[in-house]
Amino acid sequence: MSKKCTPSLDPSTAIDSSRRNVLRLTGIAGLALAGSALLPAEAKAATAAASVEPATGGAGDAAQAAAMATPIRPPAVPLAVRQPYLSTWLPATLLPGNSPQFWQGSTTGMVGLARIDGVAWLFMGDGKIVQAIPDGNHGKQATVEDFPRAMRQTALRVTATRSCFTLQGGGVELSVDFLSPVEPGDHRRQSIPMSYVRVSARSIDGAAHAVQVYMEITGDWASGDATQEVVVARGDSPAARTWTLALAQPQPLAEQHEFAAWGQVLWSTPARDGVSMQAGDRLKLRARFVGQGSLDGGNEAMRSTVKAMPALALAVDLGHCGASATAADFVIGQVREQCINYLGRPLRALWTKHFGDWKAMLDFFHGDAAAARTRADALDARVSRDARAAGGEHYEGLCVLSLRQAYAGTELVLGPDGSPWAFLKEISSDGNVSTVDVLYPASPVWMYLDPDYLRMLLLPLLDYAERGGWPKPYAEHDLGSAYPQATGHNDGKEEDMPVEESGDMLIMIAAWLRRAPHADAQAFAARHYPLLEKWAQYLERNLPDPGFQNQTDDFAGSIAHSVNLALKGIVALAAMGQVAGLAGHADAAAHYRDRARKDIAYWLAHAKDPQAPHLDLTYHDADGQGTWGTLYNGFADSLLGTGLIPTEVRAMQAAWYRQQCNAFGLPLQVPHSYAKSDWALFTAAWLADHPVAQELIDRVYAYADGTADRVPFCDLYNTVTGGRVAFQARPVQGGIFAPLAVRSMQTPVR
């Protein structure tokens, strides 16, 4: 049974831009029906920042702030981006005056005020206060709700793990640093569903300044449903002063508007002198801080609705700040002890194995802050260095924008046997659990940076196919229709993609085996060999021509005799040869290598257009002549070193793609103008030794850096206008790391 795929669009549009249906429309007409107001590419680039940046006085300041963003101006800036339910972004470049949002567009209010020598400045969010002013027309006092003074943002620096804003006002420079740690190889730390915010102040005019910092979150962090009742409470621990926010009527292992309908939001600062806190009406709390520089410790928001917008505020007195920076630290978290329903069994978060409760974890996280920043510095430097070496500054920009987004689509749990597993949410399209054809495009980030994390993501898919009741001879599409319900499809009814998913699994497993220690690779290949052999045998029966099948670009519809899909299956057979060799089946290894070579010969004879210098979209003897598409599945041939695609074919495609590129990239396939950023970078990795590879990187960068659509990095966009077509915040942007994944395979671990 085929399922509808419903991406989360702007709240302002009610069009159902489903993954399968609306995107069959092409060009501007299709985009208009999807609810996008299109501008010419030049106009969009010019107005991208100015149209949505109201904070400091208009388009000139907004354009200046956008220009100061390095090494990329994000479509939306990642703030607290750690897992599917802790995913908050700034849909703008300027921090003051703009409200953060959950990945799907609901506001997750966060406000920052700095009181400098008794004068209050707004540095983050939509932090209005009530003020009395004279009414000139009537000679009476009136009140307005606004904030008259904001700090001036001078820079935004984005790294792989951080978004760092610099602002000035009142003789003080303020740095606001959002750190969402990525911890390769450290399961314990990676499992912590928390993110850091550091606000530091230093004098820039030679004088010492008295500085107090106020930070609040609002009740909408608990739910996107304004009618929900929430409970606010103190949750202090030995090392921290903490507010907790939860639904009054939680629904374990369920979602509301993509938010977790259970668990608690944590808002915390280390216990220290000069800390005060208060919860209640946000306008009253801000007024109290503006007037006194501190809070009174009360909680007037114990039970209220999201609509009432209760504020949970923390204030820190930094004392007199001189030339050296003084900092206030905060932590935002979203904790759930049970994370996933796997085949009727609730699985606990991996952090519960390492910490007695969330308070112990929070205290550890606070205490680990300095070391976390040191590790983040090293990781940021590594990613930037490697990206610049592979594709220059533009590629660095794409990588630093993508890393947190890829990891934040996943979370770590304790598997049924007590070992670490990872699950992935298909954010903003289906919402499925561990969708294979979403994991595959995301996988290069883990192939490059964290191979064992890829193994943990593969384990639930293998376990279900081996022991969970999956009834078909090819790989499953996903583990459940709606995250976090990994209830499987024992009735066999799902969105089948037989060659696609089977090929994805074999390629990812072969890639992990190349990066794993040799003994581990041998044991893994032997343990799962019967299942992998079953999938390979299915591919043998359905290649070299896969017939009419659904495939990952299902928004374009199922396709008959697909050249790209056939290539994936053929490379997957070669991958199975590598698996068989590690499992100790030398004869089978030779058989799969030979079968892949035989099938690629058929592929070459039928894929090349007889009258044009390119490969067709479908085999030309099946009426595909004159068509073409992006052959992103060539990536796997380079990744695994299978050597199936001849050099002259790669050169031909590279030359053809250079002729077909639009301002913002290479269309996915005729007759459409849309592209996928992940597939563009897969193609760049495959054609890394041709000039088109850098062009693909540069054009995806131009889209991400200039699009007017201020949503978390969208992967499906129009190459003519630079406008979003559908999807946002999806973990598939891990595919941006495809060129680095190929490079990492050149020195496999053994």
Side-chain angles (χ1 to χ4, degrees):
M1 180 177 68
S2 182
K3 305 187 302 301
K4 298 291 185 183
C5 307
T6 308
S8 296
L9 301 179
D10 255 290
S12 60
T13 178
I15 300 293
D16 175 26
S17 296
S18 73
R19 186 174 163 199
R20 293 184 56 81
N21 295 325
V22 112
L23 302 180
R24 296 172 193 249
L25 302 166
T26 183
I28 291 178
L31 285 168
L33 285 173
S36 293
L38 298 181
L39 295 170
E42 295 82 1
K44 268 203 164 180
T47 62
S51 63
V52 292
E53 307 275 15
T56 61
D61 286 333
Q64 182 184 28
M68 290 179 178
T70 57
I72 192 170
R73 184 235 61 176
V77 184
L79 299 181
V81 179
R82 202 82 210 273
Q83 44 98 322
Y85 302 126
L86 183 60
S87 185
T88 284
W89 307 71
L90 183 71
T93 306
L94 293 176
L95 190 63
N98 294 295
S99 291
Q101 295 179 352
F102 190 51
W103 67 257
Q104 43 71 296
S106 295
T107 297
T108 43
M110 184 179 281
V111 168
L113 307 176
R115 193 170 181 268
I116 302 171
D117 299 327
V119 178
W121 301 72
L122 176 71
F123 68 82
M124 179 180 181
D126 185 13
K128 293 180 174 64
I129 59 173
V130 174
Q131 300 177 92
I133 61 168
D135 185 336
N137 291 327
H138 302 93
K140 299 177 181 178
Q141 290 290 109
T143 58
V144 297
E145 188 176 315
D146 207 342
F147 204 98
R149 184 182 296 103
M151 301 189 80
R152 181 173 63 90
Q153 184 171 316
T154 58
L156 165 61
R157 171 71 181 172
V158 182
T159 73
T161 64
R162 287 186 174 98
S163 298
C164 308
F165 298 84
T166 305
L167 307 100
Q168 294 180 358
V172 167
E173 181 176 83
L174 210 65
S175 296
V176 187
D177 181 357
F178 295 87
L179 168 60
S180 294
V182 174
E183 304 279 7
D186 190 332
H187 303 160
R188 178 180 62 151
R189 286 185 169 92
Q190 186 60 42
S191 73
I192 297 174
M194 300 178 188
S195 187
Y196 295 107
V197 186
R198 164 167 276 207
V199 182
S200 58
R202 70 179 185 92
S203 172
I204 54 174
D205 65 0
H209 297 279
V211 179
Q212 298 91 38
V213 171
Y214 167 102
M215 290 285 287
E216 76 173 40
I217 66 168
T218 47
D220 45 20
W221 278 77
S223 176
D225 180 354
T227 68
Q228 289 291 308
E229 186 179 22
V230 295
V231 177
V232 177
R234 288 281 293 263
D236 293 352
S237 56
R241 299 294 172 260
T242 303
W243 288 115
T244 67
L245 174 68
L247 293 178
Q249 297 180 330
Q251 301 174 45
L253 299 172
E255 291 186 339
Q256 293 177 350
H257 303 279
E258 307 290 347
F259 285 74
W262 81 110
Q264 298 183 87
V265 175
L266 310 180
W267 180 228
S268 181
T269 193
R272 54 176 281 185
D273 292 339
V275 170
S276 59
M277 55 199 302
Q278 189 174 348
D281 180 274
R282 63 194 189 283
L283 298 176
K284 292 180 180 178
L285 268 58
R286 295 168 196 165
R288 158 86 189 199
F289 176 78
V290 168
Q292 301 187 35
S294 64
L295 301 169
D296 69 9
N299 180 7
E300 297 178 358
M302 294 183 194
R303 294 184 79 93
S304 56
T305 64
V306 171
K307 186 177 182 179
M309 291 290 285
L312 292 66
L314 300 166
V316 180
D317 189 339
L318 297 181
H320 283 77
C321 298
S324 298
T326 304
D329 291 304
F330 304 91
V331 164
I332 183 75
Q334 203 283 341
V335 295
R336 292 155 292 121
E337 292 190 359
Q338 293 184 345
C339 287
I340 295 286
N341 173 22
Y342 178 66
L343 306 181
R345 177 176 179 175
L347 299 183
R348 296 176 67 84
L350 182 61
W351 64 260
T352 63
K353 176 181 179 180
H354 301 288
F355 303 99
D357 57 22
W358 65 258
K359 290 185 178 181
M361 175 172 60
L362 176 62
D363 283 356
F364 171 84
F365 195 65
H366 275 300
D368 196 42
R373 288 191 288 272
T374 299
R375 294 191 301 273
D377 287 342
L379 180 60
D380 291 345
R382 174 186 171 186
V383 171
S384 291
R385 179 189 66 242
D386 291 352
R388 285 194 301 268
E393 291 184 5
H394 285 176
Y395 187 47
E396 177 195 6
L398 293 174
C399 286
V400 301
L401 180 59
S402 302
L403 184 66
R404 281 167 284 178
Q405 181 167 324
Y407 270 90
T410 71
E411 59 183 330
L412 286 163
V413 305
L414 283 168
D417 63 353
S419 65
W421 280 13
F423 285 86
L424 174 147
K425 179 177 179 179
E426 186 180 340
I427 287 176
S428 88
S429 45
D430 266 351
N432 292 163
V433 182
S434 295
T435 311
V436 173
D437 72 298
V438 172
L439 176 56
Y440 177 71
S443 63
V445 68
W446 299 300
M447 294 176 186
Y448 154 66
L449 189 62
D450 198 356
D452 199 51
Y453 205 85
L454 177 59
R455 179 188 64 85
M456 292 187 291
L457 284 159
L458 291 168
L459 287 176
L461 290 158
L462 293 169
D463 183 82
Y464 175 55
E466 289 169 337
R467 297 186 294 181
W470 172 241
K472 295 184 178 180
Y474 45 80
E476 67 270 34
H477 174 267
D478 60 77
L479 293 178
S481 298
Y483 201 92
Q485 294 291 321
T487 52
H489 301 281
N490 288 5
D491 58 3
K493 295 180 179 180
E494 56 141 34
E495 188 184 9
D496 285 340
M497 298 179 183
V499 169
E500 179 75 47
E501 316 287 17
S502 301
D504 288 346
M505 290 296 291
L506 291 173
I507 291 166
M508 287 189 287
I509 288 167
W512 179 76
L513 294 174
R514 288 172 65 86
R515 296 282 281 136
H518 189 64
D520 293 347
Q522 286 180 313
F524 189 94
R527 183 181 311 117
H528 300 290
Y529 189 81
L531 174 64
L532 305 183
E533 184 179 43
K534 180 170 73 172
W535 291 343
Q537 289 171 349
Y538 172 84
L539 292 177
E540 285 192 276
R541 294 193 299 270
N542 289 272
L543 291 173
D545 186 341
F548 183 71
Q549 288 206 4
N550 195 14
Q551 40 74 56
T552 186
D553 301 319
D554 54 358
F555 44 79
S558 298
I559 188 170
H561 319 292
S562 168
V563 167
N564 196 36
L565 183 61
L567 178 61
K568 175 170 284 183
I570 294 167
V571 175
L573 288 175
M576 185 63 197
Q578 297 179 6
V579 174
L582 279 166
H585 301 284
D587 291 345
H591 165 76
Y592 287 115
R593 287 195 300 268
D594 292 345
R595 175 58 190 264
R597 293 190 191 104
K598 176 183 176 182
D599 285 356
I600 205 69
Y602 178 97
W603 183 83
L604 290 166
H606 293 79
K608 168 68 173 67
D609 193 290
Q611 299 178 358
H614 62 76
L615 301 176
D616 288 328
L617 180 65
T618 63
Y619 287 146
H620 61 72
D621 54 359
D623 298 323
Q625 187 171 329
T627 63
W628 64 273
T630 302
L631 197 75
Y632 53 81
N633 283 329
F635 162 75
D637 187 45
S638 295
L639 180 76
L640 300 179
T642 50
L644 294 171
I645 305 174
T647 301
E648 59 271 20
V649 171
R650 295 173 61 251
M652 176 183 69
Q653 288 300 103
W656 177 257
Y657 291 153
R658 291 194 79 184
Q659 299 173 27
Q660 306 307 317
C661 278
N662 288 322
F664 297 103
L666 179 68
L668 184 63
Q669 63 184 51
V670 293
H672 305 289
S673 59
Y674 54 63
K676 297 224 41 294
S677 53
D678 48 346
W679 296 149
L681 270 293
F682 270 52
T683 306
W686 173 48
L687 301 175
D689 53 350
H690 294 273
V692 73
Q694 188 63 51
E695 288 190 26
L696 290 170
I697 290 169
D698 292 343
R699 291 173 196 241
V700 173
Y701 177 92
Y703 153 67
D705 185 67
T707 183
D709 296 302
R710 306 310 297 266
V711 300
F713 195 7
C714 166
D715 56 286
L716 185 62
Y717 68 95
N718 188 285
T719 60
V720 176
T721 68
R724 169 180 173 269
V725 175
F727 312 143
Q728 61 202 50
R730 297 212 303 163
V732 300
Q733 296 293 26
I736 295 294
F737 287 83
L740 292 179
V742 171
R743 288 186 169 214
S744 73
M745 292 297 172
Q746 296 168 359
T747 55
V749 176
R750 284 293 180 261

